[in-house]
Structures are given as C-alpha cells and as structure tokens.
Amino acid sequence: GDTVVFSLELPSDKCYVCATLHYTVKQFELLEKTAEASEFMQIANLGEGWNGDSLLSFVATDFSVPASEKKTVYLQGMQHCQEHAAGLLCHNMLMYLASGCEEAKEIMKKFIFRITPVVDITGWRLGAEAHPLRAASMEFNYNRDWDKFEIPEVKLIADYLEGLKANGENFVFLADIHGGTGDENDY
C-alpha cells in the first residue's frame, strides 16, 4: 500500500536525492477510524466534491473546554491532488493530536484544530495526473477560484469557514499547504 519513490541525479559537480512519500487512501481510512475512536477528534463532512466524493475535515480539540475560550487553527492540504507531502503533514498532525499525549492535551485545551488533509478528494482518489501541475484534476485552477467558486470543494471550504466565523470562532492561523510532488519542476 504505502509507496516511497527515490530518485537520484548525479551531474558532474552536484548530487540531488529526492524522496517522495505518497499519501494513500489506506492512510486516510486509518485517520477516519482514529477520529471515530478518539475523544479528541470529530469528522466534519463538508459536502460532495465535483465527482460526488465526500470532502472531510477533521476537528481536534479538548471538547470539554468551551470553544469561546480557545483559538482556531485551520490547515488544508492537497488542494492539488499530487501534493502528497501536504496530505501527510496534515495526517501526521492529526494523528499526533489524537494520540492523547500530555503535550497534545495541553495544546488542545487552548486551540481548536480544523484540518482538511485532502481538498482535491476526487482527483487524489483517482490518482489523477494533470498538466499543468497546479491545475489539479480539473480544468479549473484551485489556487485562483477563491472569488469565483467554480470548484465545489473550494466553495464548500469557504462556506465552512464563514459559518464557523459567524458562530464566533476566533481564527488565528489559516494555511493552505502546497508542494511535495518530488518532480524536478516542483514548486
């Protein structure tokens, strides 16, 4: 299931080594099971993406502390289906928070983490490879759709965040994590 791709380039005066880890459906399913079993996590289904796949966001916090006493951090990965490093970063952060270790518990008393590991859920599940790279698995550019909302996933996330803000959540950090294809044209 899990894949690691190593490439080695040996020009005359330099050596480049690249390792690409792929975020797999198996890992995502483990994350879902972990969230369902954890007292520190919940799953938010934001709706259906462009091909009917559910766009899931995960909430990690100490639910015994009122939301009004905490700050909110939002992260999203894999806005483009090939950005596996971003999905892995989000996944590993959620797994750490769900672990219930003392450090994670203390952090979650002060923060609500809302993390969407995979934005282009359908493209990622299909293993789509699109050109140019930034276009993801659709004919639209996910990076440039935050005012037009032609891509269902972008609109779902915008509505989700606006709804949370309207309900009084205090966002202190929002990040869209990119990169990690491991190809020579990676940005």
Side-chain angles (χ1 to χ4, degrees):
D2 297 341
T3 304
V4 180
V5 177
F6 288 97
S7 61
L8 182 62
E9 183 179 327
L10 296 168
S12 59
D13 61 341
K14 296 178 184 173
C15 177
Y16 300 93
V17 177
C18 176
T20 300
L21 300 173
H22 291 273
Y23 187 45
T24 66
V25 172
K26 181 179 170 184
Q27 290 169 302
F28 191 80
E29 290 169 351
L30 172 64
L31 182 60
E32 288 179 281
K33 289 178 185 170
T34 300
E36 290 166 359
S38 175
E39 65 183 286
F40 303 108
M41 285 178 65
Q42 294 177 351
I43 301 172
N45 186 336
L46 307 187
E48 290 186 0
W50 66 268
N51 201 27
D53 289 304
S54 293
L55 179 61
L56 302 181
S57 192
F58 296 80
V59 183
T61 193
D62 180 336
F63 294 101
S64 71
V65 177
S68 60
E69 297 177 19
K70 295 184 271 191
K71 297 175 181 173
T72 300
V73 172
Y74 176 76
L75 303 174
Q76 67 182 33
M78 295 185 75
Q79 182 165 291
H80 306 100
C81 59
Q82 305 92 336
E83 296 174 330
H84 295 278
L88 284 165
L89 182 132
C90 291
H91 174 93
N92 289 334
M93 185 169 183
L94 284 163
M95 293 299 280
Y96 167 73
L97 293 169
S99 74
C101 74
E102 288 306 314
E103 182 181 48
K105 285 180 184 178
E106 287 304 311
I107 292 169
M108 290 187 293
K109 287 180 183 176
K110 299 174 187 171
F111 292 94
I112 300 168
F113 292 89
R114 296 189 178 274
I115 302 176
T116 307
V118 182
V119 174
D120 184 5
I121 192 73
T122 301
W124 169 70
R125 286 187 184 278
L126 295 173
E129 293 184 21
H131 301 284
L133 179 62
R134 289 182 182 267
S137 62
M138 294 182 65
E139 294 298 319
F140 299 103
N141 188 331
Y142 282 62
N143 286 342
R144 309 291 181 266
D145 192 51
W146 291 95
D147 61 345
K148 300 173 195 155
F149 301 117
E150 295 176 299
I151 302 170
E153 293 87 346
V154 173
K155 178 67 170 150
L156 291 168
I157 290 167
D159 289 347
Y160 177 60
L161 296 176
E162 286 294 326
L164 295 168
K165 183 180 172 190
N167 285 333
E169 287 208 25
N170 179 19
F171 285 90
V172 294
F173 187 78
L174 292 94
D176 179 17
I177 306 161
H178 289 269
T181 64
D183 106 1
E184 63 192 36
N185 298 313
D186 203 357
Y187 47 90

